[in-house]
Structures are given as C-alpha cells and as structure tokens.
Amino acid sequence: DAARKAMTLYRNENKTLPLSKDVKKVAVVGPGASMGPLLLGNYAVPPDHGIPTILEGIQMALGEDPSKFKGQCSQWENNTDYFVSGEGGVSSWGPEDCCRLCGLDMTCKYFTWYENTCYKKTSDAGKTSSPQRISGKCDAHFEGKKVSYAMGCKSIGCSDDSGFQDAVESAKDAEAIVLVLGLSGSQEAEGHDRSVIE
C-alpha cells in the first residue's frame, strides 16, 4: 500500500524524452550526477571497470565521449589525504583513473585515492598524513560542447548550497535541464535509516 501511494508518474509532454541528439545544450545539475556508486544501492559490489556516472551517460548519449579523456594531474603526494569530513567516493581502479574522474567533474580541483575509491575535492585544505592514500591536483578538465555540469549542492545532504548560483547560470543557457536528485548511502543505509520522514 505504501509503495502504491508513493508512486509518481510523469507526463512526457511534447515528447521531451528521450532527449534528441540534436539538442544544442544540456545542463546537468546535482551532486549525484557524478557519483557512480549512487546507482548501485546497498550491498552491491562495484565492477572492476568502475561505474559510469549519470553525467558520463548523458555525455556519451549526446555524442561526447569522456572515455577517451585521460586526465592531467600534478602535485602527486603519497601517504597524503586532502581530508573532508563526511565525503562520499566513487569506484576507481587506481590513482591515474581517479585523476581522470576528477577531470570529468568541473567542480573537482583535487582528489585522494584509497582502496579502489576516488574522493573528489574542491580544495586541498584538509591535507593530512594518511598511510596508503595518494592525492593530487587536477590540471585539466574534459569540456564538451553540449553538456555542462553544476553540482548545486556540494553533497547529497546539501549542507553547502554555495554552488546554487553556478547551477542557475548553467541552466540559463541550456535547451534542456537534467536535475539529478535522490539519496545516497550517507543518508539511507544500514545503521542510519530514518524512522520519520519530515
């Protein structure tokens, strides 16, 4: 009964979906758009080759191929973490792949790789010594002509909405806007499920 009451259907007015490959500019907004593991759910094991993000899927569908982007990074530091409390990571096979993933996200300036996970950062302000972690700075970003990306919120929990204006500016020039909303394991998972939704 609860599932039926929670179900939402959308009208596809003017045949908006699927997006045409002829669309000139698409703005993708939301922190979840660049988080591959968000698509897995609880207790799922990421595949070795990683998980394409919603953003990458939209880029590829519109003829922009981020898979060929190799990434360009510097300031490599072993046994170093650019620590940010409560951040989530994305599946990554190594530091070079983490550099590439950071370069695909216009909001990512620095990164830390640890145990097959890439943690994308906006700064290196939380620099601390931490065994087995590798950190670096992103020097180049993948820039497609059709798809722009803005996080809006800096995390799924949206404790920092300082990116709202960037999202608004990105959306102003777009012919279509894809807004990626939802929860992550940082909000809904074993150990922090909520008993009340308000």
Side-chain angles (χ1 to χ4, degrees), residues 130-176:
S130 192
Q132 301 177 353
R133 287 160 176 80
I134 300 173
S135 295
K137 177 184 177 187
C138 181
D139 295 325
H141 287 89
F142 174 80
E143 294 189 44
K145 294 179 180 172
K146 284 189 173 184
V147 182
S148 65
Y149 175 57
M151 289 180 78
C153 294
K154 290 195 175 176
S155 68
I156 294 289
C158 203
S159 57
D160 182 347
D161 61 7
S162 59
F164 273 22
Q165 193 54 44
D166 288 341
V168 169
E169 292 303 316
S170 179
K172 278 182 183 176
D173 299 328
E175 195 175 331

Side-chain angles (χ1 to χ4, degrees), residues 53-107:
T53 64
I54 292 170
L55 176 62
E56 289 173 302
I58 292 169
Q59 288 169 325
M60 287 186 277
L62 295 177
E64 297 182 344
D65 191 355
S67 67
K68 293 179 181 172
F69 179 75
K70 299 297 181 197
Q72 217 175 324
C73 297
S74 63
Q75 193 178 306
W76 293 92
E77 297 187 89
N78 290 322
N79 300 314
T80 302
D81 187 0
Y82 300 151
F83 181 74
V84 178
S85 179
E87 66 183 349
V90 296
S91 178
S92 171
W93 54 260
E96 294 81 10
D97 182 52
C98 189
C99 166
R100 182 188 71 84
L101 292 171
C102 187
L104 292 173
D105 182 344
M106 293 300 286
T107 63

Side-chain angles (χ1 to χ4, degrees), residues 113-132:
W113 182 86
Y114 175 63
E115 290 188 343
N116 295 325
T117 304
C118 180
Y119 299 92
K120 297 184 275 184
K121 324 273 184 166
T122 55
S123 82
D124 61 352
K127 183 175 176 177
T128 183
S129 177
S130 192
Q132 301 177 353

Side-chain angles (χ1 to χ4, degrees), residues 16-37:
T16 303
L17 299 173
L19 288 175
S20 166
K21 286 193 176 187
D22 297 328
V23 69
K24 292 179 179 69
K25 191 79 173 174
V26 175
V28 180
V29 178
S34 63
M35 297 172 66

